[in-house]
Amino acid sequence: MAGNRGVVYTGAGSVEVRDIDYPDLVLREGPGVPKENVGRKCEHGVILKVITTNICGSDQHMVRGRTTAPEGLVLGHEILGEVIEVGRDVEFVKKGDIASVPFNIACGRCVMCQEQKTHICLNTNPERAGAAYGYVDMGGWVGGQSEYVMVPYADFQLLVFPDREVAMEKVLDLTMLSDIFPTGYHGAYSAGVKTGSTVYIAGAGPVGLAAAHSAQLLGASRVIVGDLQDERLKQAESFGCETVNVSKHDRLSEQIENLLGVDEVDCAVDAVGFEASGHGADGGEQPAAVLNSIMDVTTAGGKLGIPGLYVTEDPGASDKEAQQGTLKVRLGLGWAKAHTFVTGQTPAMKYNRDLMKAILSGRADIAKAVNATVISLDEAPNGYQDFDKGAAKKFVIDPHGSLK
């Protein structure tokens, strides 16, 4: 049997590349696997040889020790690969297919999946609605920052690319379809971005950059991106965004007015989440800072897209309320302005096929927008460190040297 290696969470601040089990079509006992999921047969699944798998900001929350993720968890929910084995019940996906894997694990059978709400599938995680690869409290499914991975419900889930050669030529763009591009797009779309909109994007990490590029695709007239890191803001500027360094200004509304002539935007996106910082030089960590700021700068009746991650347990938070996911959100402000809030994980399958067509046609240039940077599997621990320091890059792991 072939070997397998993967990126493993080994405790707060630490990941290692280790030998891990070669996948088969069963979910076996392991770190974070609920008792009810142990031994779950997946003849509806496939084994993928991973071509690319990306480091995500959501992974970084776990690696920082800001979740209850168990040590030994194999990380990685952004996966693109080649099918090398198909289960008995797989009818349409074939060996040799190259496909993107939506990060949401969804059965395709429950009422949520039938309504395109694949982010809250009722059947893949016995502990709560919604499942994902290599992530805390998401059903225990083994992550894909590895050489090989098992993907269940393959006929329903896999986005198979129509042309193998074209897929490999565009692989740095197509690898973003598993999560980051649909997530950024969902943030902009659910915020109501349309032709002529003025948009504020909080966060210039990869999801924020993807949201900014998505806002441009949706027709926004002005896209303003805020962050603490000048390097990341320069990356946003590289494809036509305007920027604000929120560490240098206490009041975001004043900076919006300096750019637009008015102190509010039509809509806003939170691409930061619970590890937010307050504005100004002495802001410090303030988990609700982004939510409150985007309510402040979004016009009455506007929509707020919130793809940024918020958790039910944050052991690294500075106060007991935040450790339980209870934040000091100015809900009265949002209520008074009749804002619409759209939260939760992104239903990637709702968007990924159309975004694939945008990539293949040359309409979307997502790899350039997020500064896709290829590294080897062995370089993954350094990639996590660089990403944690604010590198303006989206790290793409190439486990087999397929892209060289």
Side-chain angles (χ1 to χ4, degrees), residues 147-168:
E147 294 173 328
Y148 302 92
V149 68
M150 188 267 282
V151 175
Y153 304 104
D155 279 332
F156 176 65
Q157 290 204 109
L158 287 184
L159 176 64
V160 176
F161 301 130
D163 185 290
R164 182 187 180 95
E165 290 186 8
V166 173
M168 290 306 295

Side-chain angles (χ1 to χ4, degrees), residues 80-81 93 97-102 154-162 174 177-178 348-349 351-357:
L80 180 152
V93 174
D97 283 344
I98 294 180
S100 173
V101 182
D155 279 332
F156 176 65
Q157 290 204 109
L158 287 184
L159 176 64
V160 176
F161 301 130
L174 296 173
L177 291 173
S178 56
M349 290 181 66
Y351 308 107
N352 64 356
R353 189 171 299 276
D354 287 339
L355 293 177
M356 174 188 72
K357 290 186 285 187

Side-chain angles (χ1 to χ4, degrees), residues 53-121:
T53 175
N54 314 328
I55 296 176
C56 179
S58 298
D59 299 322
Q60 201 74 56
H61 293 305
M62 290 188 292
V63 173
R64 290 188 188 117
R66 298 300 296 268
T67 72
T68 55
E71 294 184 17
L73 184 71
V74 180
L75 301 172
H77 56 269
E78 301 190 14
I79 308 164
L80 180 152
E82 178 183 0
V83 177
I84 60 172
E85 181 183 338
V86 298
R88 178 193 62 211
D89 299 331
V90 177
E91 185 175 359
F92 303 111
V93 174
K94 304 291 190 296
K95 288 183 181 180
D97 283 344
I98 294 180
S100 173
V101 182
F103 78 95
N104 322 108
I105 301 175
C107 70
R109 297 159 168 81
C110 71
V111 64
M112 292 295 107
C113 287
Q114 290 170 0
E115 293 179 357
Q116 285 193 311
K117 300 174 183 176
T118 53
H119 57 310
I120 44 175
C121 174

Side-chain angles (χ1 to χ4, degrees), residues 289-333:
V290 170
L291 293 173
N292 291 330
S293 68
I294 62 175
M295 285 189 284
D296 184 46
V297 302
T298 300
T299 189
K303 295 181 179 181
L304 310 178
I306 308 172
L309 176 68
Y310 288 88
V311 294
T312 55
E313 292 184 79
D314 174 12
S318 58
D319 63 76
K320 290 184 178 180
E321 288 186 340
Q323 289 173 6
Q324 301 294 321
T326 302
L327 310 182
K328 297 177 181 178
V329 177
R330 294 184 63 197
L331 188 59
L333 175 60

Side-chain angles (χ1 to χ4, degrees), residues 15 109 150 172 184 269 301 351 392 400:
V15 299
R109 297 159 168 81
M150 188 267 282
L172 287 184
V269 177
Y351 308 107
H400 297 277

Side-chain angles (χ1 to χ4, degrees), residues 2-53:
N4 193 19
R5 296 191 307 148
V7 180
V8 177
Y9 172 62
T10 54
S14 175
V15 299
E16 296 178 5
V17 178
R18 291 182 175 178
D19 291 330
I20 61 174
D21 291 337
Y22 187 85
D24 55 9
L25 300 175
V26 178
L27 180 54
R28 303 194 182 279
E29 186 174 4
V33 182
K35 182 178 179 180
E36 298 91 333
N37 256 1
V38 174
R40 187 169 183 158
K41 294 180 173 58
C42 298
E43 288 293 342
H44 42 64
V46 300
I47 307 299
L48 289 186
K49 179 181 179 181
V50 177
I51 296 173
T52 55
T53 175

